[in-house]
Amino acid sequence: MTATATPAEAVTPRLRTALRRRRTWIAIVLVLLGGAALLVVLQGTVRAPGAPLAADNAAPVGAQALARVLAAQGVEVEQVRSLDAARDAARDGATVFLHDDLGVLDRDGLRGLAADADLIVVARPDFAALEVLAPGVRLAGLADGAPGAASCELPAAERAGALSDGQRALAVDDDAEAARFTGCFPAGDAFAVVSGTSPQGADVVLVGATTPFANATIDEAGNAALAIGLLGSRDRVAWYLPGPGDADAADAPTLGELMPGWTTPVLVLLVVVTVVAGIWRGRRFGPLVVEDLPVHVPASETGEGRARLYARGSARLRALDQLRIAAIRRLAVALRLPRSADVDAVVAGVANATGRAAADVRALLVDEEPRGDADLVRLARAVDDLERAVHETMLPDPGLDTTDPTGRRP
């Protein structure tokens, strides 16, 4: 009596197995997530939070400290979000504090603001602001060290006395001097602060850098005294930081205007060359011809490949069915059954040849299903043993005299 192996239960693949199969994609996703997190951290570290010199920005680049000091001294600080609001506040007599960090305010907007305002304080003016508000005043780069003493008649500058390092210089040429623009805090041949009257009639104070107003540097030297003196001379300040909404879309250059003149001819030439090259190569190879090529694949490779697929997908019943189908075909040939014989005829023939019960033979060849890998191996071996038993029964009797035509025993 031979011992039979206990059938293994079919189980669903565990989480660890599923993760192991997908470890490549999991690693790619983790790398992408790590890169995105690193990018967010770097952007948060490099990019200053909040708008520069915003009255409600407590970051080092903001100006919340100055706004709170002005409010404590009774000055109403109003943050305006558009050019129209700034012009309305200017017509009401408010001091306009202007810092166009993005450079979106055009010259017409600057002229209209200067025409409505009595006093404009500009922090770090750009080329457009200098051209409109103070013709003849030019940017002169970063000052080398701290600028000198005030040396001017501007009251806020006189009370400040001196400024800290990090100032940007503004040069005053002859035309600006003729228009009575004067400089304070000299830095070589230029100045850290320039004041005068704009062509539109507004009093203008140009501060080359943002250091006198920023939270990080307002407490250095006389920065605070200068900023408070300039913005606290009136009861109200219109704090205006132009944004993208103040840009005039009609003045924005088109794509054709931004492209150099040689771009269009080169693009046309590239298109023509691509089409010509395609036609040339197509004519060279001629028309397409469909040809069936013989492919020889060894049967052993096909069988091994299909077996690996069955094993990977745990398709035990399908694998056993392939073995049964092949065995039934060979059994039909061994039993001399016609090609049209069905499975029941093969089962009956095998039962007659081996003396086994037809129900057992049918269960082995058709009905019984494997419940695990061990059960699959057991059934495959049983099918092989059945096929071997049929072949043995079909061999001639060794005691039979094959030379006697009647087939009688000696």
Side-chain angles (χ1 to χ4, degrees), residues 10-209:
V11 296
T12 303
R14 295 177 297 177
L15 178 61
R16 182 181 299 176
T17 304
L19 293 177
R20 187 182 300 111
R21 291 178 180 177
R22 296 169 176 83
R23 59 180 178 269
T24 302
W25 290 107
I26 294 175
I28 294 174
V29 171
L30 291 178
V31 170
L32 293 177
L33 291 177
L38 180 62
L39 181 61
V40 170
V41 172
L42 292 178
Q43 286 184 343
T45 303
V46 176
R47 184 181 301 172
L53 293 192
D56 56 354
N57 187 4
V61 297
Q64 188 182 70
L66 174 59
R68 289 188 175 183
V69 171
L70 291 174
Q73 294 184 355
V75 178
E76 181 184 355
V77 178
E78 178 186 1
Q79 298 187 68
V80 292
R81 304 297 183 182
S82 64
L83 176 60
D84 293 337
R87 295 184 65 175
D88 291 340
R91 284 192 288 266
D92 292 339
T95 299
V96 178
F97 175 65
L98 174 63
H99 175 56
D100 191 3
D101 183 59
L102 301 177
V104 298
L105 199 59
D106 58 10
R107 288 166 175 77
D108 292 336
L110 289 167
R111 291 190 186 96
L113 183 62
D116 294 332
D118 295 331
L119 174 61
I120 302 178
V121 178
V122 185
R124 200 174 67 185
D126 56 7
F127 290 103
L130 294 178
E131 180 182 347
V132 174
L133 302 178
V137 179
R138 297 173 287 103
L139 299 175
L142 186 65
D144 187 10
S151 302
C152 65
E153 298 180 357
L154 185 65
E158 290 179 352
R159 287 193 296 269
L163 297 180
S164 64
D165 294 343
Q167 305 298 321
R168 293 182 179 272
L170 301 172
V172 181
D173 62 10
D174 296 339
D175 294 337
E177 288 183 357
R180 303 204 175 187
F181 277 92
T182 58
C184 304
F185 306 104
D189 295 334
F191 304 92
V193 177
V194 174
S195 61
T197 304
S198 69
Q200 294 78 20
D203 292 335
V204 177
V205 180
L206 306 172
V207 182

Side-chain angles (χ1 to χ4, degrees), residues 217-260:
T217 54
I218 192 172
D219 59 344
E220 298 178 1
N223 292 349
L226 176 65
I228 295 172
L230 293 176
L231 302 182
S233 59
R234 301 189 178 191
D235 296 336
R236 185 182 176 193
V237 175
W239 205 287
Y240 179 38
L241 306 180
D246 294 318
D248 189 358
D251 295 337
T254 62
L255 181 61
E257 294 174 348
L258 294 175
M259 295 172 59

Side-chain angles (χ1 to χ4, degrees), residues 344 346-367 386:
D344 294 333
V346 176
V347 169
V350 172
N352 293 332
T354 60
R356 300 187 184 186
D360 296 338
V361 175
R362 181 176 178 81
L364 181 61
L365 293 179
V366 179
D367 297 332
L386 179 64

Side-chain angles (χ1 to χ4, degrees), residues 308-329:
R308 292 191 187 98
L309 292 176
Y310 291 156
R312 183 178 300 175
S314 299
R316 301 180 184 90
L317 181 58
R318 185 177 294 273
L320 181 61
D321 286 343
Q322 297 298 319
L323 298 178
R324 286 169 167 172
I325 292 172
I328 290 173
R329 290 175 180 172

